């Protein structure tokens, strides 16, 4: 019994163990039994098909699957499933292909054309869709153009037209005389269907026609006769019969770009790709015999601009076309299969490339995925699925499409049960939420090792907002572990799709759920995880988010229309949900080319935005505001402003004389910001010589050159170019001139001998330089350099005709070399010029003129290389911007395709001569171009290039120059100073220096001044200064006031920064000198507008000027006139009385002299030499001519109009006694000025040229200079005046009635403060042109006081030569210095006191003085 009991117990234990093992095994098997991904894809997909009407057609499709049930194939047409059950013409073959028994197609019934797609489905697994295929049917044959009869000269090309539908081109062929025509390199069919016949021969004559066959019905075009004409040898202009046309090709296709040219002599056709010459045959690229370009297997690198150039000995023409290469979509990253659990978030990644950029859409089980809250497109093409549910399982496909094709790729999503583990390494496409909750619970396996946690307790929403909710909870009652993690599952009420968020670390019992919708109810539940797995779920907690502030909804129906090139009109409707009164709208707009958003406040529901850029894309959006703030923005709308005529001319216009009858023009488009639209063409205007009549020609928008032919020999032509848009023609460039050759260059004989040859020996090399032959009428195509020790025949090198120097390298030191140079052309080599040189010894010191880089980087090579490195040629500098120039070149040592296959590199060096000590900069590159950046604006740079290969280095190439564009000044004017003008406290003078970084030619300055340094800029007073002047006067300022000044420079590109403010305080009161000047003036101010006291009518007499503006001036004028009149009368009476008492011959002589003081005395003072008062004074081109002798109303004063002088003369502001220099000149009448060197600046003139009494001189009380009236044309005789400066005198000086001697006084002018003192002047010297602005000055003469005097105008057509002027200045100054002193002026407030008495001897001495004065004056004016 005991044994049986023991056995029974043992059996029970065994059974229990076996049952436990089987249970564990079941659990383990269940945990590992993840469903495998299915093999399901298309083996064949439909392709684009061209079918023939009435014939059968087939669209292939086949799918592979490892499922037990084969895939079911269905077809879609234009996105809709086809019902083929009762269709007799179309049915699906067993492999899934769609078969058409016969294609139906007519003008009004096209049931078969469209886009087809096959869909493969496996029940209980999913569906996949193929790529789409275009099914088209060849149309009825129609000819858009047909062959026409034509004549062609022998050897020329002709095109026979035959234009058919593009889909019928493959069915088109040609016949000649009703026999099939075999195509070859000479007979080429164009993409349009036309036939090009090249190098025509007699055998090409006949009847031609084209046929369209094999499309259900054949059709032939009209027949056309081609006749062959004999070549007459008569010159014919080059013309394009067929120009290259822009074309678009898909990668892998072939491209034919035609270029057919006729003319005589027969042209040579070449092709350029971008800036590279294409060779006759270069692998895939072939230039056909007829001039067309054929490219096989087009690739992306073939895209670009192609130029067809045709040239003969008379002319060159060219045309351009664009090749656009399209690349079908291809996958860079395909979507991958994904395992996931419910509630997880996943991402299917899909990355594609192609040209143009493909569009991507997603399909799930054959149906398009519509983006929603749970299906989102992120990172451009990836698909994100949030909160997975079981129904999300299936096949997801990424479909990419562009104009070149479409592709698809699929991935499978399998959702596992929670007790089934995900793969140990999660797929990389899982989101962070997914990866975080894969790990808890031992990979999701419900392990039997122990119990799982109970439900978390007290789940509450501790914080609720509009877009997020914060949840907290307590530890489960039965945690069954220490480190618990938690998952929060949530869903929107009314949906079954849950999402999950995990806690960030073990033990954390709170989480914040974000990205929720406002005013929406959500359900939340929390699950805890321990080491045994996922525990129980808490009860569902329902929480609603808060409603957002009641702001307006988006404004509907936002519309924008561009009315003008600079404005856009917008309108919108009131928001549907305003949530209160709409207070205002804010319009946001963005310039897409810049990206910066701006805004404008709008009160209504429409607005016109102005000041926009022309032809520019803008985006607009509108936001409504209520009392709560801004509402929801509208979606952006895109508008492009209208185009306009270009606002800037084309750039870099150059002319190149081709021969005696043609000139080639080249240019660059206007700057982009000045194009204002798409450039549709260019207009070239040209004229012969100085004629006004112009001829015009136009080009296409992409053509940047034009050959102007049919010109006259040896004639100068002027050209200018303007750009055109659809709106019109923009501004033209400046005229640029070129002269055609007198005769075409001669190549019937060899060139003459080079005009010079120079050699410079170094240790192992000799630098050779030369100049071309003097006879430039013979063609030179290159030069031959021969050299050797003792004989020039050892080595020979040929160089380009443009080259002017060469370095012969690898020579022996201390050796005697003989060198010859010959010019050559196609006829042969010309006469050589010889030179010899001895290379330096090896121990010679370094030549300071030798480039150190060459010395140290080109070591001596023991074995001379028979082919030394040639320097790069064709160096060009293309200016791109104000700080960037692109340097390009060619390397003759490379193959013709200019491809670099070795380790050579190029060194580019550049420098500018401003400033002179600028260092040379260099850069290395391995390509045939280099972009030089960081240059200074508006600066001329020189560039040269050298090539280095291993230890061999070439010499520097010929230089190319480029001047960077201008840009706005980047610094402000410097050294700004403000000073008060002497004796004019209300006038200040502002001086400055140009900005250190002008970045272009300074065209002017703007002076800002204000009494408030903190005022806004638009509140400051503006004074413009035109030109490059560096000083300016500002008048009519307030006394005892602080002013602040700023200066801003401008050039052609715009305004620079302002200088720092400089302050200046005007004086408190008027100066005493200024008051004295006002009292000394015997005339009131000149009439004129109040705003400009210096302007005056050129024909107005000073004596007739209006009186002053106040009563005080009236009184002063009356007092002065009475005083001067009384003084004059008393002096005349006393003088007459004393003169009558003198009866000696000496007294008579004096009296006669005084009466003829206006006459022209000769060197001998006898009566025969006396002339009447009206004189002709001849001196070179200067003359005084008599005027009409009509009586004047004033018997004492006569009016003499004086033309405006360009000489600046300082007005007399003080009396004679206060000017010691004038006093000295008076006392040293004979010597003072004659002994002064001409180059030395003369002292300022302080009165009129007659040294009139200062008290009688009127000066402009406010100065006579105004910046806005300055001109640059009037010359100045002051050697110290700056260029382009001259002042206009505006004041009038009056001669004293007793001291003028009828020599007209000169008007005085305020003197610019920065100029040196002006030369003393007389009316004979001051005139520089016709009297455009004559001053009117009163003069008087002793002896004419009792009768009327005839006024004497001064007419000076041209200024005299400088040496004569200088001599006359000396002589006249001597005369002026001899005048007797005038009495001191009396104060204006008192009458002028009379002299006590004149003694007879004093009067006699004075009269003799006057006689001597007249002698000198006559000697000056009559001298040859």
């Amino acid at each position: 019994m005991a044994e049986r009991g023991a056995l029974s117990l043992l059996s029970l234990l065994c059974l229990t163990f076996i049952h436990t093992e089987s249970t564990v095994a079941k659990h383990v098997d269940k945990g590992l039994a993840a469903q495998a991904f299915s093999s399901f894809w298309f083996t064949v997909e439909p392709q684009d098909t061209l079918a023939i009407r009435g014939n059968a057609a087939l669209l292939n499709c086949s799918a592979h699957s490892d499922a037990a049930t084969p895939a079911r194939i269905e077809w879609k047409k234009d996105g809709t499933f086809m019902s083929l059950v009762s269709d007799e013409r179309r049915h699906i073959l067993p492999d899934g292909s769609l078969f058409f028994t016969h294609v139906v197609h007519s003008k009004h019934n096209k049931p078969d054309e469209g886009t087809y797609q096959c869909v493969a489905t496996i029940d209980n697994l999913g569906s996949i869709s193929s790529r789409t295929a275009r099914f088209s049917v060849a149309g009825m044959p129609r000819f858009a153009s047909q062959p026409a009869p034509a004549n062609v000269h022998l050897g020329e090309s002709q095109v026979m037209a035959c234009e058919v539908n593009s889909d019928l081109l493959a069915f088109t062929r040609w016949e000649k005389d009703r026999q099939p025509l075999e195509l070859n390199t000479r007979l080429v069919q164009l993409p349009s269907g036309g036939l090009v016949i090249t190098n025509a021969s007699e055998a090409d004559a006949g009847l031609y026609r084209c046929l369209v066959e094999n499309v259900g019905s054949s059709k032939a075009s009209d027949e056309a006769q081609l006749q062959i004409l004999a070549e007459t040898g008569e010159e014919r202009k080059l013309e394009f019969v067929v120009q290259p046309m822009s074309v678009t090709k898909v990668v892998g296709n072939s491209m034919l770009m035609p270029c057919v040219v006729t003319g005589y002599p027969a042209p040579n056709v070449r092709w350029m790709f971008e800036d590279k010459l294409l060779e006759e045959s270069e692998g895939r690229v072939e230039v056909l015999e007829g001039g067309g370009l054929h490219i096989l297997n087009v690739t992306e690198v073939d895209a670009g601009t192609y130029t067809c150039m045709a040239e003969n000995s008379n002319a060159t023409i060219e045309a351009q076309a664009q090749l656009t290469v399209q690349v079908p979509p291809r996958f860079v990253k395909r979507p991958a299969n994904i395992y996931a659990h419910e509630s997880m978030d996943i991402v299917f990644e899909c990355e594609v490339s192609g040209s143009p950029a493909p569009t991507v859409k997603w399909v799930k089980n054959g149906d398009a995925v519509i983006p929603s809250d749970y299906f989102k497109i992120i990172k451009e093409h990836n698909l994100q699925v949030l909160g997975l549910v079981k129904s999300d399982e299936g096949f997801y496909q990424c479909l990419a499409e562009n104009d070149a094709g479409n592709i698809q790729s699929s991935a499978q999503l399998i959702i596992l049960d929670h007790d089934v583990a995900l793969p140990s390494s999660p797929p990389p496409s899982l989101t962070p939420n997914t990866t975080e909750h894969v790990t808890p619970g031992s990979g999701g396996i419900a392990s039997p090792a122990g119990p799982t946690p109970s439900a978390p307790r007290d789940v509450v929403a501790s914080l609720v907002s509009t877009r997020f909710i914060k949840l907290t909870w307590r530890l489960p009652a039965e945690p069954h572990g220490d480190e618990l993690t938690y998952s929060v599952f949530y869903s929107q009420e009314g949906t079954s799709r849950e999402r999950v968020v995990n806690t960030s670390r073990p033990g954390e019992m709170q989480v914040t759920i974000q990205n929720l919708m406002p005013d929406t109810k959500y359900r939340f539940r929390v699950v805890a995880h321990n080491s045994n797995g996922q525990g129980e779920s808490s009860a569902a907690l329902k929480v609603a988010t808060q409603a957002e502030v009641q702001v307006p909804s988006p404004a509907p129906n936002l519309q924008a229309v561009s009315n003008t090139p600079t404005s856009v009109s917008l309108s919108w409707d009131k928001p549907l949900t305003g949530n209160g009164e709409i207070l205002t709208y804010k319009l946001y707009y963005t310039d897409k080319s810049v990206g910066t958003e701006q805004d404008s406040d709008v009160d209504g529901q429409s607005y016109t935005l102005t000041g926009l850029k022309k032809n520019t894309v803008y985006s607009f959006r509108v936001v409504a505001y209520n009392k709560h703030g801004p509402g929801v923005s509208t979606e952006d709308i895109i508008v492009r402003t209208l185009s306009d005529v270009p606002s800037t001319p084309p750039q870099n216009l150059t002319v190149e004389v081709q021969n005696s009858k043609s000139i080639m023009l080249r240019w660059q488009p206007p700057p982009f910001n000045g194009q204002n639209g798409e450039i549709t063409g260019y207009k070239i205007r040209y004229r012969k010589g100085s004629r006004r009549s112009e001829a015009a020609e136009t080009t296409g928008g992409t053509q940047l050159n034009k050959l102007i032919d049919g010109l006259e020999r040896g004639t100068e032509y002027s050209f200018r170019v303007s750009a055109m848009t659809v709106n019109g023609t923009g501004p033209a460039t400046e005229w640029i001139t070129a002269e055609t050759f007198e005769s075409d260059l001669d190549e019937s004989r060899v060139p003459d001998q080079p005009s010079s040859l120079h050699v410079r020996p170094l240790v192992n090399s000799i630098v050779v330089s030369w100049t071309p032959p003097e006879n430039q009428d013979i063609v030179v195509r290159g030069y031959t350099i021969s050299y050797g020790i003792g004989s020039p025949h050892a080595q020979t090198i040929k160089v380009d005709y443009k080259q002017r120097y060469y370095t012969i390298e690898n020579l022996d030191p201390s050796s005697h070399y003989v060198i010859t140079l010959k010019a050559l052309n196609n006829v042969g080599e010309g006469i050589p010029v010889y030179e010899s040189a001895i290379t330096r010894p090896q121990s010679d010191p370094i030549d300071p003129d030798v480039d150190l880089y060459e010395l140290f980087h080109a070591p001596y090579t023991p074995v001379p290389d028979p082919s030394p490195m040639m320097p790069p040629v064709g160096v060009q500098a293309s200016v791109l911007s104000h700080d960037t120039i692109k340097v390009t070149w060619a390397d003759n040592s490379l193959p013709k395709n200019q491809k670099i296959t070795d380790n050579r590199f190029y060194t580019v060096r550049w420098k500018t001569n401003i400033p002179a000590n600028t260092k040379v900069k260099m850069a290395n590159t391995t390509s045939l171009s280099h972009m030089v950046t960081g240059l200074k604006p508006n600066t001329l740079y020189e560039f040269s290039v050298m090539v280095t290969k291993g230890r061999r280095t070439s010499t520097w190439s010929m230089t190319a120059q480029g001047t960077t564009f201008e840009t706005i000044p980047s610094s402000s004017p410097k050294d700004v100073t403000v000073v008060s003008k002497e004796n004019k406290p209300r006038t200040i003078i502002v001086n400055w220096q140009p900005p250190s970084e002008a970045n272009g030619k300074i065209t002017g300055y703007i002076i800002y001044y204000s009494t408030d340094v903190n005022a806004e800029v638009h509140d400051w007073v503006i004074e413009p200064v035109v030109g490059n002047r560096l000083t300016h006067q500002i008048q009519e300022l307030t006394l005892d006031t602080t002013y602040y000044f700023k200066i801003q420079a401008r050039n052609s590109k715009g305004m620079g920064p302002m200088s720092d403010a400089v302050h200046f305080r005007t004086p408190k009161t008027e100066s005493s000198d200024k008051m004295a000047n006002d009292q000394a003036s015997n005339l009131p101010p000149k009439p004129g507008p109040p705003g400009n006291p210096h302007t005056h009518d050129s024909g107005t007499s000073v004596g007739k000027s209006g009186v002053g503006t106040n009563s005080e001036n009236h009184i002063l004028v009356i007092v002065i006139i009475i005083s001067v009149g009384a003084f004059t009368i008393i002096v005349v009476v006393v003088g007459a009385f004393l003169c009558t008492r003198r009866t000696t011959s000496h007294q008579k002589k004096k009296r006669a002299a005084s009466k003829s003081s206006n006459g022209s005395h000769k060197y001998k003072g006898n009566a025969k030499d006396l002339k009447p008062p009206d004189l002709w004074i001849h001196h070179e081109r200067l003359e005084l001519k008599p005027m009409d002798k009509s009586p004047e109303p004033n018997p004492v004063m006569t009016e003499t109009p004086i033309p405006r002088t360009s000489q600046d003369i300082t007005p007399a502001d003080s009396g004679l006694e206060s000017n010691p220099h004038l006093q000295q000149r008076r006392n040293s009448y004979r010597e003072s000025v004659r002994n002064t060197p001409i180059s030395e600046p003369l002292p300022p003139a302080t009165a009129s040229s007659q040294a009139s009494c200062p008290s009688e001189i009127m000066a402009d009380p406010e100065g006579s200079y105004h910046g806005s009236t300055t001109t640059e044309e009037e010359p100045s005789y002051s050697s110290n005046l700056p260029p382009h400066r001259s002042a206009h005198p505006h004041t009038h000086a009056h001669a004293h009635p007793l001291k003028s001697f009828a020599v007209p006084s000169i008007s005085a002018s305020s003197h610019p403060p920065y100029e040196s003192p002006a030369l003393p002047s007389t009316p004979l010297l001051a005139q520089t042109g016709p009297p455009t602005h004559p001053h009117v000055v009163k003069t008087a003469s002793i002896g004419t006081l009792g009768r009327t005097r005839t006024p004497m105008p001064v007419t000076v057509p041209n200024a005299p030569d400088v040496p004569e002027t200088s001599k006359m200045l000396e002589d006249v100054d001597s005369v002026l210095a001899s005048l007797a002193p005038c009495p001191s002026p009396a104060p204006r407030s008192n009458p002028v006191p009379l002299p006590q008495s004149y003694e007879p001897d004093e009067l006699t001495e004075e009269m003799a003085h006057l006689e001597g004065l007249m002698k000198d004056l006559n000697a000056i004016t009559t001298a040859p």
Side-chain angles (χ1 to χ4, degrees), residues 6 142 168 342 436 454 510 582 852 959 1057 1331:
R142 292 185 180 88
L168 299 179
E342 285 190 88
E436 285 175 1
S454 60
Q510 64 179 18
I582 301 297
L852 294 179
T959 60

Side-chain angles (χ1 to χ4, degrees), residues 57-63 71-75 84 89-101:
L58 180 68
L59 289 174
N60 292 312
C61 182
S62 179
R72 182 178 71 257
I73 301 293
E74 298 174 285
W75 282 86
L84 303 175
R89 287 191 309 109
R90 299 174 295 187
H91 60 272
I92 300 175
L93 301 179
D95 66 346
S97 299
L98 179 63
F99 180 69
F100 299 79
T101 56

Side-chain angles (χ1 to χ4, degrees), residues 770 783 785 798-807 870-873 892 955-956 958:
W770 63 90
Y783 295 92
I785 303 171
K798 290 187 178 181
V799 297
D800 188 75
Y801 75 97
K802 296 180 180 179
Q803 197 155 335
R804 294 292 180 268
Y805 64 90
Y806 185 78
T807 300
M870 298 284 289
V873 297
N892 283 344
T955 58
W956 290 104
M958 296 183 68

Side-chain angles (χ1 to χ4, degrees), residues 1361-1389:
D1361 294 335
V1362 174
E1364 297 178 9
T1365 303
S1366 303
K1367 181 179 184 304
M1368 293 175 67
L1369 287 172
E1370 294 181 12
D1371 295 337
V1372 175
D1373 277 346
S1374 299
V1375 176
L1376 298 180
S1378 69
L1379 294 181
C1382 300
S1384 302
R1388 180 172 290 193
S1389 59

Side-chain angles (χ1 to χ4, degrees), residues 679-755:
I679 300 298
T680 58
Y682 295 90
K683 180 173 288 186
I684 299 118
R685 294 185 176 92
Y686 61 96
R687 63 189 184 192
K688 183 170 68 174
S690 58
R691 292 185 180 178
R692 292 190 176 181
S693 60
E694 301 176 3
E697 297 210 15
T698 58
T699 70
T702 59
Q703 186 172 342
L704 300 177
N705 54 71
K706 179 69 175 178
L707 182 72
I708 308 296
D709 53 8
L711 305 179
E712 297 181 10
R713 297 174 182 267
T715 305
E716 184 181 83
Y717 288 86
S718 299
F719 302 87
R720 63 179 180 180
V721 180
S722 53
M724 298 185 297
T725 63
V726 293
N727 306 88
T729 305
T733 60
E734 296 293 331
W735 288 102
I736 184 170
T737 60
E739 184 175 348
T740 54
F741 297 144
E742 285 287 350
S743 60
D744 291 330
L745 296 182
D746 181 15
E747 201 171 3
S748 62
R749 53 198 175 110
V750 297
D752 290 351
Q753 186 182 54
S755 54

